[in-house]
Amino acid sequence: MAGGGGGGGGGGGVTPLGPAPPMWYHRDLSRAAAEELLARAGRDGSFLVRDSESVNGAYALCVLFQKHVHTYRILPDDEGFLAVQTSQGVQPKRFKTLPELVSLYLQPSQGLVTTLLYAVDREETAVSDDRDYSDGEDEKPPLPPRSASTSTPPGPDTPTDSAPAANGLSTISHEYLKGSYALDLEAVKQGACALPHLNKTLVASCKRLNGEVDKVLSGLEILSKVFDQQSAFMVSKMIQQSVNQGGDQELENLVTKLAILKDLLSSIEKKALKALQDMSLSSPCSPPPLSMRHSKAIPVQAFEVKLDVYLAELTKIGKSQKYTLSVDVEGGRLVVMKKVKDSQEDWTTFTHDKIRQLIKSQRVQNKLGIVFEKEKDKSQRKDFIFASAKKREAFCQLLQLMKNKHSNQDEPDMISIFIGTWNMGSVPSPKSVASWVLCRGLGKTLDEMTVTIPHDLYVFGSQENSVCDREWVESLRALLKEQTELDYKPIAVQTLWNIKIAVLVKPEHENRISHVGMSSVKTGIANTLGNKGAVGVSFMFNGTSFGFVNCHLTSGNEKIARRNQNYLDILRLLSLGDKQLSSFDISLRFTHLFWLGDLNYRLDMDIQEILNYINRKEFEPLLKVDQLNLEREKNKVFLRFAEEEISFPPTYRYERGSRDTYVWQKQKATGMRTNVPSWCDRTLWKSYPETHIVCNSYGCTDDIVTSDHSPVFATFEVGVTSQFVSKKGLPKSSEQAYIEFESIEAIVKTASRTKFFIEFYSTCLEEFKKSYENDSQSSDNVNFLRVGWSNKQLTTLKPLLSEIEYLQDQHLLLTVKSLDGYESYGECVLALKSMIGSTAQQFHTYLSHRGEETGNIRGSMRVRVPSERMGTRERLYEWISVDKDETGGPKGKSTMVSRVGHEYVKPSTVRKQLGELGKVSEEGERTGKEETAARPKQEAPDGDPSISKNSYNNPAYYILEGVPNQSAAALSAEHLPSPTSANPQVAKAPLPSAGARTKPPYVASGPSHPRRPMTGHSVRTISEEGTTEDDGGTCVAGVQGGGVGATVGNTLNRPPPDFPPPPLPKAALEMAAETPFPKNRALYPDLAEVRIPAASPAAPLAHGEGFRRGGGGGVAVVVGGGGGGGPGALDDQSCSVLQMAKTLSESEFPGQPPRAPSAPPPLRGQPMGLGLDACRTFPPRNPITESIAEDMPEEALWGSSSSSLSVGESSVGEWLQRLGLERYEQGLLHNGWDDLEFLSDITEEDLEEAGVLDPAHKRILLESLRQQQQK
């Protein structure tokens, strides 16, 4: 990067850096990294120069003085001279080069805050020969493709192929003309008739051509044998001759081969056409060409189910009944058929518009409630048990497809996306890769009933793909046509050497795609080789922006830091999306960003242990040592991305030709190289808050064996918005919607003390807007700054359209910038949906910059919508909700699951839900694997995983690593919390993703899949913030926004940490349960309640236990003496943070509206019901009125106080354990027998269906149930 970021010209051909870059010049070092280097230097007058992040060709001079970093911009003028930016009216001093400029400021009294005294040199990293070539398969990097990409004209992002030509014939020709030419001339003078030196030159230069011609001829030989026997004989003969010939005849032989190749190529097509025409005449009538066919009609699909009934109905209907549900997608009908006596059948048909809602059970994965419309404003709910969770998902998908097909909407609310990634190992793909696009193989796969339904978008990422672009895309189109009978349209293809991405779309959607962009970034050796790097594609689908990145990162078990840096380089340099959003990295530029590829992260475990776990199909221990999971947990890479649970074996490194054996050793010139089996090939995603995205499959094939990697597939259901057209035209002034801020406060990780302003970007704004500079600023820690803006400093924003239907789909991007360098210190995104209303709502989310978490931001805002613009409609994806009926609350109340990503909270809603925490059992967190109502991992964890080391809620986050603490304050005993102040329910149970409610749910954004303890959770989003904001309750670190993991009404979107700690010991919970909530404290305690645990001889805690915090109540929870030595533990250098944090939260949050006093909090452990008003969504929707149906009484549907006790899975398990028959627990639960009272009517036949085949065991179980009934 000579000249550093463009260099700015530099007058008269002199480079701005002088003859060689000085050691104090750090090129594209980030602002945060510069501050850290200066903090480590620790002396006033320490300085360095880096590239400006805000202006290309400009520089930033960073100076340390009194523990604060001061930044000065160095700007080039029109003539290329450099000058430090000065106050208005002050004449700048101009210099030709940076060294000249710096030499002036090494002199005292030159206008800087201090004289430049100590240069902080860059750390020169030796360029090592990493041998990062194709995972150790090749001795040298593959050559770039011989032809430029067919997707884009050569430009800054596309490599051209002119360079390699310089090393070919032209170089050899120059050598001949300089030297051997004279020898040939001398030979001719002496009467020679040949030019041996020229001949030798030509033979040498054509050596590669000779090999290529042989390859092409051998390929054409096969075609010749089919279509033209005579040509085939000639080709075979020539190839044989070429092997035997050499020396003087080599050049002549090449010319002959080229002549035959020319004739063969010109004639083969005609001969093939004639042969095919002859075949068609002799064969019977052929089917119409594929292009003339329509997509396959979806056949009627039947599902065998059981009606799920409760104790109240057992006396009426006897044992559980068997039903058949038949879905006719094309006809728009659902037939519910039950078998009656004497083989008679009773059936009812419901048209698509009479199916009001699908309600998935959160705990019982194969249970589904269906709400049918019986008559006007009356409905009936029936709960069915499917054969498996996969069958339930297939049924839901078919019903959604039916709803979509027969919808009166012109534009779709939801699309399905296939994403595939495959390292092809530099060999062509086999004849058929159908299992890849049909998601057949290992892991989470689609049900056979839905596997052939075409997706709307197909995204194929490949690495080490030696096939040319056109051939690759045509093979993919042919594959899709064969499977779907649709002619998919390629909308983008981008290539970097052998890394390719291709996006194909259904023909019906082609006109919905716009703003297509493509880019690539090289990360190979010295970031100049394209054998490693990334390609990306972005576009708009109607009103929703999508980004797709396919990458191939550095290989090698030990190259973790290099892979991390590859990721950060791609994140920063890939040029995709709206150019107006250049202040934001690509993880914030798109509604949905998908990142796929051969990420090359390995497993840190002994090879034999890995193989043993794989043989036993035990993946969780391996996922705990997966480098990508570990790096994400540390917030080093993929900040706030999500990944579906991995349930398939490692996809690398297999023996080619089989999937039975991993090849983990290879002899190299440098010694034995080890490549342990690893999940190198991955798919992750990141979505805006309050959007809809669900991962329906994630796995790998087991029958494609040409490469040492297995292809990986993932499918997603994604909510999309249409290009909104107002039916009422542009708003009049009286009908204008407004986005108003009451106050904003940001906490930024920085040693600078400059002033800041905020920029607001959104597609709903005509142009970006700026705030005024902050009017409050404070800090008790040198590496940490709190800045605030009151109402008068914040501008009111006017959206282009004022309809609520439009605004609830919009998002606002914020960036906090400094006044001294106009550089961003952090960016975030907010969803407007939760902010709509007449009163201000609170938001709180994290700030990030260049892939690193840099602080947090919170505030109070509202989106005012005029009453004339309030009409809205239900989205298709809101039609399916998630029901937590079995977690202890009343049966039949549907709930919502909040989503991931960029989270914020409305405390007014949160306050009403705190009591619900006491009801949640562990199953509530573990089971929502396949809810369509949610996005990756939104629910809060069982406890914060130590408030991840780099999370902004961890005080250690604000202490730069390796920097001595500047405060000498010591911890006193009063700083340490009482261990009895823990909230047992919060500490033990995972938090509910939503409260219960009777209204059909308004689907929030966020990932649908809660997690299991440790790594086996379904969707993996790392590093949860631990901030807790609420004015009347308590919560745990890691539970954001009021202590509820995900609140009703889409109010909270927070990804939980990746590795939740185990629950607290039972004794500790029981002891804590007796303690009431402490008195209320100020809203937004933020860091004030964190107490640094003192060093203690107590045993170290499990990862994640080191820090727990009490939210609103202001009580910190420290377990076991403070996690001595654990990853979350801090040393005494952190004590200054206590004072800083305490100061920051002693006063009420500025700009907060006055509140009515809240009700006194309940005692811990006492369940508190959740009122219906706790789930306020905007706009309100009519509840579904339940009718008392013959076969489904209302008491059973909605769980009145007289309904049967739903003891839950654990009670059935305890009962079986007492009898020594716990092996049958899974079978009973699978068949819907999850309630002890319900079990009282079980029959021998039912037991057999649940897998209890031993007569003695059946007798034991039935006798035990009879005894319980008699008690």
Side-chain angles (χ1 to χ4, degrees):
M1 188 165 168
V14 179
T15 65
L17 297 172
M23 291 301 291
W24 42 254
Y25 171 59
H26 290 250
R27 297 183 185 272
D28 57 352
L29 185 74
S30 71
R31 176 196 53 76
E35 288 191 10
E36 192 162 338
L37 284 177
L38 290 169
R40 284 178 183 167
R43 296 189 288 181
D44 285 359
S46 296
F47 73 94
L48 59 82
V49 177
R50 58 178 172 82
D51 292 340
S52 167
E53 291 183 7
S54 58
V55 178
N56 284 337
Y59 304 94
L61 171 61
C62 304
V63 188
L64 184 70
F65 182 64
Q66 294 181 354
K67 299 170 187 172
H68 295 159
V69 175
H70 300 260
T71 303
Y72 299 90
R73 274 210 296 186
I74 300 172
L75 299 172
D77 60 17
D78 295 338
E79 299 175 26
F81 284 89
L82 300 172
V84 172
Q85 190 174 17
T86 57
S87 306
Q88 198 168 1
V90 177
Q91 182 65 34
K93 297 169 183 172
R94 302 163 71 228
F95 302 89
K96 286 186 177 180
T97 66
L98 266 179
E100 289 178 18
L101 182 147
V102 167
S103 64
L104 172 76
Y105 293 102
L106 290 170
Q107 311 302 317
S109 306
Q110 296 298 323
L112 301 185
V113 66
T114 181
T115 307
L116 303 185
L117 297 174
Y118 310 105
V120 176
D121 292 348
R122 61 179 178 271
E123 297 169 357
E124 289 288 10
T125 53
V127 179
S128 60
D129 180 9
D130 287 318
R131 293 288 172 195
D132 181 19
Y133 307 144
S134 184
D135 296 335
E137 290 296 320
D138 303 318
E139 295 298 335
K140 55 186 178 181
L143 288 163
R146 286 182 295 279
S147 59
S149 166
T150 55
S151 54
T152 50
D157 290 328
T158 24
T160 61
D161 295 309
S162 55
N167 299 321
L169 186 58
S170 60
T171 305
I172 297 172
S173 300
H174 282 303
E175 288 175 1
Y176 173 74
L177 294 172
K178 284 181 183 175
S180 306
Y181 157 76
L183 298 175
D184 276 348
L185 178 62
E186 192 63 35
V188 170
K189 285 179 181 177
Q190 293 175 6
C193 299
L195 303 175
H197 295 284
L198 177 60
N199 187 277
K200 188 177 177 181
T201 299
L202 293 175
V203 167
S205 61
C206 295
K207 200 167 192 64
R208 278 185 56 199
L209 178 59
N210 222 326
E212 291 297 320
V213 171
D214 286 343
K215 285 181 188 175
V216 175
L217 283 174
S218 60
L220 289 173
E221 180 183 11
I222 298 167
L223 293 173
S224 302
K225 284 177 180 176
V226 177
F227 300 120
D228 184 12
Q229 294 293 328
Q230 188 178 358
S231 298
F233 176 74
M234 286 177 59
V235 172
S236 302
K237 191 176 177 183
M238 271 308 307
I239 292 173
Q240 189 60 40
Q241 286 179 353
S242 68
V243 172
N244 301 326
Q245 287 184 347
D248 296 340
Q249 298 181 356
E250 193 171 345
L251 195 59
E252 185 181 337
N253 188 35
L254 174 62
V255 174
T256 308
K257 279 194 286 188
L258 287 171
I260 288 185
L261 183 60
K262 171 180 170 290
D263 294 339
L264 194 57
L265 284 173
S266 61
S267 63
I268 191 77
E269 189 173 356
K270 292 175 185 175
K271 290 172 180 174
L273 178 62
K274 185 176 185 307
L276 291 175
Q277 285 171 340
D278 293 342
M279 287 169 61
S280 63
L281 290 172
S282 60
S283 64
C285 60
S286 57
L290 287 177
S291 58
M292 294 171 62
R293 300 184 207 167
H294 298 290
S295 63
K296 295 175 184 174
I298 299 169
V300 176
Q301 301 283 8
F303 296 82
E304 298 295 327
V305 297
K306 287 182 181 177
L307 185 69
D308 188 36
V309 292
Y310 311 113
L311 189 62
E313 297 89 62
L314 287 175
T315 53
K316 289 185 182 180
I317 63 176
K319 66 179 183 180
S320 59
Q321 298 183 36
K322 294 181 180 177
Y323 279 69
T324 301
L325 304 180
S326 297
V327 183
D328 181 0
V329 173
E330 306 295 336
R333 293 184 299 269
L334 171 66
V335 178
V336 180
M337 184 172 67
K338 71 175 175 181
K339 300 197 175 173
V340 204
K341 298 179 195 173
D342 306 325
S343 301
Q344 293 180 353
E345 295 175 340
D346 179 18
W347 52 275
T348 311
T349 300
F350 295 93
T351 56
H352 64 90
D353 54 323
K354 299 296 182 186
I355 305 168
R356 296 285 299 278
Q357 196 167 24
L358 301 183
I359 303 168
K360 293 181 178 181
S361 168
Q362 171 88 353
R363 190 174 64 85
V364 183
Q365 288 289 289
N366 56 335
K367 180 175 169 182
L368 180 72
I370 307 178
V371 180
F372 301 105
E373 184 179 310
K374 299 290 281 185
E375 48 188 279
K376 191 174 181 185
D377 294 331
K378 289 193 178 177
S379 59
Q380 167 196 19
R381 169 174 168 174
K382 290 192 177 187
D383 285 10
F384 297 100
I385 303 292
F386 286 74
S388 65
K390 191 182 281 191
K391 289 291 181 191
R392 183 185 78 171
E393 293 310 304
F395 177 82
C396 292
Q397 190 178 345
L398 287 169
L399 252 63
Q400 275 184 308
L401 207 62
M402 180 175 77
K403 276 274 192 186
N404 200 30
K405 200 173 188 78
H406 299 279
S407 164
N408 55 8
Q409 295 294 323
D410 295 329
E411 297 298 325
D413 283 334
M414 196 169 68
I415 61 173
S416 62
I417 301 176
F418 168 92
I419 292 180
T421 175
W422 183 23
N423 184 319
M424 296 171 62
S426 299
V427 298
S429 63
K431 189 172 184 180
S432 174
V433 290
S435 58
W436 191 23
V437 298
L438 294 177
C439 302
R440 286 191 175 124
L442 306 172
K444 183 178 180 179
T445 57
L446 298 175
D447 187 81
E448 282 302 310
M449 288 184 176
T450 57
V451 78
T452 56
I453 297 173
H455 298 285
D456 298 287
L457 278 172
Y458 284 86
V459 181
F460 296 95
S462 58
Q463 309 84 38
E464 297 186 27
N465 180 352
S466 55
V467 183
C468 73
D469 289 7
R470 184 172 299 172
E471 185 182 339
W472 173 239
V473 173
E474 287 308 312
S475 68
L476 294 173
R477 293 184 70 191
L479 173 65
L480 294 178
K481 190 177 259 191
E482 180 185 347
Q483 299 300 326
T484 67
E485 298 187 2
L486 288 172
D487 189 14
Y488 277 78
K489 305 294 182 186
I491 58 170
V493 183
Q494 177 71 352
T495 297
L496 174 68
W497 286 28
N498 289 334
I499 308 169
K500 303 181 193 294
I501 188 168
V503 182
L504 296 95
V505 66
K506 257 186 187 175
E508 67 196 69
H509 297 315
E510 193 174 13
N511 293 331
R512 296 184 171 115
I513 303 289
S514 63
H515 300 82
V516 178
M518 290 172 279
S519 179
S520 62
V521 172
K522 297 173 183 175
T523 64
I525 295 173
N527 285 357
T528 57
L529 289 185
N531 62 314
K532 294 293 189 285
V535 289
V537 169
S538 63
F539 54 84
M540 297 288 293
F541 186 102
N542 281 345
T544 302
S545 58
F546 285 93
F548 299 91
V549 178
N550 171 35
C551 70
H552 192 183
L553 306 185
T554 297
S555 64
N557 279 38
E558 70 289 349
K559 303 282 179 54
I560 303 171
R562 178 84 175 270
R563 282 188 280 275
N564 292 352
Q565 190 58 50
N566 288 168
Y567 162 78
L568 293 171
D569 289 341
I570 294 164
L571 191 73
R572 183 168 56 90
L573 299 173
L574 206 57
S575 177
L576 292 174
D578 188 348
K579 296 296 183 270
Q580 271 199 327
L581 302 180
S582 56
S583 297
F584 303 85
D585 65 49
I586 58 170
S587 72
L588 286 177
R589 290 186 200 173
F590 305 104
T591 317
H592 304 284
L593 174 66
F594 297 89
W595 197 299
L596 54 141
D598 180 356
L599 274 58
N600 253 323
Y601 287 92
R602 308 301 172 89
L603 297 179
D604 283 334
M605 186 182 281
D606 177 72
I607 178 65
Q608 202 52 56
E609 285 187 77
I610 293 174
L611 295 173
N612 290 340
Y613 280 124
I614 293 173
N615 288 336
R616 297 197 299 265
K617 295 183 171 57
E618 294 177 16
F619 301 140
E620 285 199 23
L622 300 179
L623 289 166
K624 292 176 190 176
V625 296
D626 174 74
Q627 291 174 351
L628 178 58
N629 291 342
L630 295 171
E631 294 306 293
R632 289 177 63 208
E633 185 199 356
K634 298 173 195 170
N635 282 355
K636 293 287 183 71
V637 290
F638 292 101
L639 185 67
R640 301 301 185 279
F641 277 73
E643 183 182 25
E644 179 62 33
E645 177 184 2
I646 291 178
S647 55
F648 50 93
T651 54
Y652 171 81
R653 178 179 184 248
Y654 282 107
E655 182 178 32
R656 294 178 191 245
S658 128
R659 291 299 90 154
D660 300 327
T661 309
Y662 287 100
V663 180
W664 50 275
Q665 277 191 322
K666 184 174 179 68
Q667 185 65 48
K668 309 289 289 183
T670 53
M672 189 66 75
R673 181 184 176 114
T674 300
N675 289 303
V676 299
S678 299
W679 284 287
C680 292
D681 311 284
R682 310 285 274 267
T683 298
L684 300 96
W685 74 94
K686 186 174 186 177
S687 298
Y688 280 178
E690 300 190 61
T691 53
H692 178 80
I693 179 168
V694 177
C695 182
N696 287 325
S697 70
Y698 190 36
C700 68
T701 65
D702 57 0
D703 61 349
I704 299 174
V705 297
T706 51
S707 170
D708 51 4
H709 292 252
S710 285
V712 168
F713 52 78
T715 58
F716 295 87
E717 173 189 292
V718 183
V720 292
T721 60
S722 56
Q723 296 283 6
F724 190 83
V725 178
S726 173
K727 293 172 184 171
K728 300 190 176 183
L730 292 172
K732 303 170 188 171
S733 57
S734 61
E735 295 179 1
Q736 173 69 52
Y738 295 96
I739 302 170
E740 301 171 336
F741 293 90
E742 292 192 354
S743 59
I744 294 180
E745 179 182 278
I747 299 170
V748 184
K749 180 184 175 184
T750 181
S752 173
R753 291 300 176 263
T754 181
K755 289 283 191 177
F756 294 86
F757 63 93
I758 300 174
E759 287 182 349
F760 303 91
Y761 294 79
S762 177
T763 52
C764 72
L765 301 177
E766 193 171 356
E767 57 184 4
F768 80 91
K769 299 290 183 182
K770 284 185 183 181
S771 75
Y772 295 99
E773 66 181 60
N774 58 292
D775 51 2
S776 70
Q777 190 162 314
S778 61
S779 172
D780 281 354
N781 183 283
V782 68
N783 303 311
F784 173 78
L785 183 64
R786 168 185 172 180
V787 290
W789 293 262
S790 60
N791 174 264
K792 63 184 180 183
Q793 304 301 108
L794 298 165
T795 181
T796 296
L797 308 176
K798 294 182 182 180
L800 292 169
L801 297 171
S802 295
E803 276 78 2
I804 189 172
E805 187 178 340
Y806 168 75
L807 290 172
Q808 67 186 7
D809 290 328
Q810 301 303 309
H811 292 83
L812 202 59
L813 291 166
L814 280 66
T815 173
V816 178
K817 289 189 170 180
S818 65
L819 278 175
D820 60 4
Y822 291 81
E823 293 180 323
S824 175
Y825 280 58
E827 305 96 47
C828 69
V829 59
L830 303 175
L832 296 189
K833 185 185 286 184
S834 291
M835 304 293 121
I836 296 174
S838 56
T839 58
Q841 306 295 328
Q842 310 293 338
F843 65 85
H844 182 200
T845 187
Y846 69 96
L847 292 170
S848 66
H849 181 62
R850 285 191 168 191
E852 177 191 357
E853 192 170 312
T854 56
N856 70 71
I857 189 167
R858 62 193 184 186
S860 177
M861 67 178 285
R862 63 176 172 174
V863 179
R864 278 201 294 127
V865 179
S867 56
E868 299 87 352
R869 307 272 175 159
M870 294 291 272
T872 188
R873 65 180 179 86
E874 182 181 67
R875 305 293 199 274
L876 176 62
Y877 51 80
E878 295 169 343
W879 179 64
I880 295 184
S881 64
V882 178
D883 188 353
K884 295 216 172 135
D885 55 354
E886 296 88 1
T887 56
K891 293 243 178 194
K893 295 191 179 181
S894 58
T895 61
M896 303 177 323
V897 179
S898 231
R899 313 319 182 96
V900 233
H902 315 265
E903 54 295 329
Y904 44 86
V905 60
K906 296 199 294 187
S908 57
T909 307
V910 172
R911 279 202 311 277
K912 298 173 185 173
Q913 299 191 60
L914 290 173
E916 190 72 2
L917 295 178
K919 298 183 182 181
V920 183
S921 69
E922 258 179 21
E923 290 81 51
E925 181 67 347
R926 197 183 299 154
T927 52
K929 276 190 178 179
E930 317 195 274
E931 312 134 12
T932 38
R935 221 183 50 189
K937 280 195 326 223
Q938 200 52 36
E939 291 79 1
D942 315 76
D944 197 9
S946 89
I947 310 177
S948 174
K949 176 183 173 187
N950 296 328
S951 173
Y952 65 72
N953 296 301
N954 177 7
Y957 171 85
Y958 298 105
I959 307 296
L960 296 178
E961 295 177 17
V963 182
N965 195 299
Q966 284 82 9
S967 169
L971 281 175
S972 62
E974 65 195 37
H975 284 146
L976 295 174
S978 162
T980 61
S981 61
N983 181 347
Q985 278 76 21
V986 176
K988 176 182 178 183
L991 299 173
S993 51
R997 63 177 196 166
T998 54
K999 296 181 184 179
Y1002 190 81
V1003 178
S1005 114
S1008 69
H1009 315 295
R1011 53 180 63 255
R1012 301 202 297 258
M1014 299 312 290
T1015 58
H1017 50 272
S1018 34
V1019 180
R1020 196 182 295 282
T1021 308
I1022 306 294
S1023 161
E1024 179 48 279
E1025 302 75 25
T1027 357
T1028 57
E1029 290 96 31
D1030 191 79
D1031 52 354
T1034 190
C1035 48
V1036 149
V1039 181
Q1040 314 205 356
V1044 178
T1047 62
V1048 176
N1050 329 335
T1051 56
L1052 187 57
N1053 275 348
R1054 309 198 175 190
D1058 197 36
F1059 298 97
L1064 290 179
K1066 194 171 181 181
L1069 297 174
E1070 288 168 355
M1071 176 174 64
E1074 301 169 5
T1075 311
F1077 282 101
K1079 64 179 182 178
N1080 291 349
R1081 292 279 286 272
L1083 179 67
Y1084 289 128
D1086 199 56
L1087 296 172
E1089 319 309 341
V1090 181
R1091 297 293 180 251
I1092 312 301
S1096 163
L1101 295 173
H1103 182 61
E1105 294 280 333
F1107 267 90
R1108 294 180 180 270
R1109 311 181 28 213
V1115 177
V1117 183
V1118 178
V1119 187
L1130 299 176
D1131 58 22
D1132 59 359
Q1133 293 184 354
S1134 305
C1135 54
S1136 64
V1137 179
L1138 289 172
Q1139 300 171 329
M1140 168 272 298
K1142 190 163 188 253
T1143 306
L1144 292 184
S1145 49
E1146 278 177 346
S1147 58
E1148 192 75 7
F1149 178 67
Q1152 179 186 331
R1155 300 183 168 278
S1158 56
L1163 292 179
R1164 292 174 188 265
Q1166 175 185 348
M1168 182 170 71
L1170 182 63
L1172 297 181
D1173 60 340
C1175 57
R1176 184 184 76 80
T1177 61
F1178 198 89
R1181 293 168 48 198
N1182 295 326
I1184 294 178
T1185 310
E1186 294 296 322
S1187 65
I1188 301 179
E1190 279 188 296
D1191 54 352
M1192 190 55 67
E1194 185 173 2
E1195 292 90 332
L1197 290 176
W1198 299 115
S1200 67
S1201 58
S1202 63
S1203 80
S1204 65
L1205 171 66
S1206 177
V1207 179
E1209 183 177 297
S1210 60
S1211 295
V1212 174
E1214 287 170 13
W1215 169 63
L1216 289 169
Q1217 195 170 12
R1218 182 169 55 81
L1219 299 174
L1221 299 174
E1222 57 269 21
R1223 74 193 79 167
Y1224 298 122
E1225 179 180 358
Q1226 198 59 41
L1228 287 167
L1229 294 175
H1230 185 73
N1231 281 273
W1233 301 100
D1234 56 349
D1235 189 314
L1236 272 181
E1237 292 191 41
F1238 185 15
L1239 274 168
S1240 62
D1241 200 59
I1242 199 167
T1243 65
E1244 283 197 34
E1245 181 186 352
D1246 294 323
L1247 285 173
E1248 287 174 3
E1249 289 183 3
V1252 186
L1253 303 177
D1254 188 318
H1257 292 170
K1258 278 190 281 190
R1259 280 198 302 275
I1260 293 170
L1261 292 171
L1262 293 170
E1263 182 61 30
S1264 171
L1265 290 168
R1266 272 194 291 275
Q1267 288 175 3
Q1268 284 195 347
Q1269 276 184 311
Q1270 291 168 2
K1271 285 182 182 177

